[in-house]
Amino acid sequence: MNRNVILTCAVTGAGDTVDKNPNVPVTPKQIADAAIEAAKAGASIAHLHVRDPDTGAVSHSTEHFREVVERVRESGTDIVLNITAGGGGDWLPDSQDPTRGGPGTDIQTPAERHHPVGELLPELCTLDCGSLNFSDMVYINTAGWLREHARLVQAAGVKPELECFDLGHVWFARQLQQEGLINGDPLYQLCLGIPWGAEADTETMLAMRNKLPENAHWAAFGIGRHQMPMVAQAALLGGHARVGLEDNLYLEKGVLATNGQLVEKAGGIIDQLGGRVMTPSETRSHLDLRDPHTSQVANGGAA
């Protein structure tokens, strides 16, 4: 069991959840407030998406990310920031011409996906390590694009969180490491329960964990009702965990959650198992991350 758990809170996603739970943050101020709420509830990391403030739909705006980051940093509340770089991969075939993307398609190049990360230099950013049948759409990450994206993240000096939605994604992430595109000890996030990727159960988590490199840090999460069971399972198998309204809207059956409540509940589970949640400062040291307060890597040299 891992007794020192890094707990991420994914405070808002890109999905159609705004009308399903009024606590899902939409504006940059609301998203920043949610990250601060998560930090005060005990989270180590805030994972950030941004939305169009008027519609609640996905946004890729660097300026929206900038406002969130600045508001969090200026609040004086310490939390590690992890900006998504996985947007702009959604593809649905047009019903009249399946060679073209239809309504709902949202594609960005690696450089476009990377732009907010390169501008704002958070401690962490996501790198989604493969394509996937993501519910009724295809989420596209070709091998060539991923190599290009990994080089951009590496050049920025930001640590990538290698998001793996299926076992083949773990394989490709290991390949990126073997090609020298991932610096230091890699950080994996095992993303479970998304149709039609890896299932949210013990056997799947264990199979993916067993394929990780020996020097890997890893975390896992499950969506919906699997969120809290996967917190416990990840800690018991030696990993870290993630919760938040991006992945699950409910505190319990029929009871809508806030981000802070989900963090507190996960922290309680970890505590009852005999573990503890690491502070943001401890997380930076453990993962060898840039410290935004000093612009240096936590364990030593300049970023």
Side-chain angles (χ1 to χ4, degrees), residues 226-275:
H226 300 292
Q227 185 167 84
M228 295 303 165
M230 292 301 101
V231 168
Q233 190 62 86
L236 288 169
L237 291 179
H240 305 287
R242 169 174 137 174
V243 294
L245 292 179
E246 176 177 352
D247 307 320
N248 165 48
L249 300 177
Y250 291 90
L251 185 64
E252 56 189 66
K253 187 174 182 179
V255 179
L256 294 172
T258 68
N259 282 295
Q261 289 172 334
L262 293 174
V263 170
E264 289 174 354
K265 186 171 182 176
I269 291 170
I270 292 164
D271 180 70
Q272 289 170 9
L273 291 172

Side-chain angles (χ1 to χ4, degrees), residues 25-251:
V26 173
T27 68
K29 181 181 184 301
Q30 290 171 344
I31 295 167
D33 288 346
I36 294 165
E37 174 196 4
K40 291 181 176 179
S44 318
I45 298 171
H47 173 57
L48 304 175
H49 289 250
V50 290
R51 295 176 180 267
D52 183 310
D54 296 322
T55 67
V58 62
S59 170
H60 306 303
S61 167
T62 297
E63 294 313 307
H64 290 160
F65 278 111
R66 189 187 309 279
E67 182 178 346
V68 173
V69 169
E70 289 179 351
R71 284 181 177 275
V72 173
R73 295 301 186 216
E74 291 170 1
S75 74
T77 302
D78 191 24
I79 191 162
V80 174
L81 295 183
N82 177 349
I83 288 181
T84 183
D90 304 347
W91 193 85
L92 294 96
D94 183 83
S95 60
Q96 302 301 315
D97 181 1
T99 67
R100 298 178 180 273
T105 294
D106 177 23
I107 299 294
Q108 287 189 302
T109 66
E112 289 170 332
R113 294 186 191 189
H114 176 71
H115 189 263
V117 173
E119 283 285 309
L120 302 175
L121 299 178
E123 294 102 314
L124 291 164
C125 71
T126 57
L127 183 65
D128 301 68
C129 291
S131 300
L132 181 75
N133 280 335
F134 200 108
S135 189
D136 292 331
M137 71 179 184
V138 177
Y139 181 54
I140 296 178
N141 286 291
T142 66
W145 275 23
L146 283 170
R147 287 186 172 94
E148 179 183 346
H149 199 166
R151 291 187 186 97
L152 291 169
V153 174
Q154 187 177 53
V158 175
K159 191 176 189 72
E161 180 188 65
L162 304 169
E163 289 205 330
C164 298
F165 295 81
D166 220 339
L167 199 53
H169 297 182
V170 176
W171 183 10
F172 187 76
R174 294 201 318 265
Q175 181 65 27
L176 290 177
Q177 186 180 3
Q178 290 167 11
E179 293 176 12
L181 297 175
I182 307 297
N183 293 342
D185 294 340
L187 172 62
Y188 285 75
Q189 180 72 259
L190 309 182
C191 311
L192 307 178
I194 295 94
W196 302 103
E199 294 182 83
D201 56 38
T202 300
E203 293 83 357
T204 304
M205 186 187 294
L206 187 59
M208 295 176 78
R209 186 207 69 173
N210 287 347
K211 290 293 185 179
L212 300 178
E214 289 185 2
N215 65 333
H217 304 283
W218 70 277
F221 70 86
I223 66 169
R225 62 186 175 87
H226 300 292
Q227 185 167 84
M228 295 303 165
M230 292 301 101
V231 168
Q233 190 62 86
L236 288 169
L237 291 179
H240 305 287
R242 169 174 137 174
V243 294
L245 292 179
E246 176 177 352
D247 307 320
N248 165 48
L249 300 177
Y250 291 90
L251 185 64

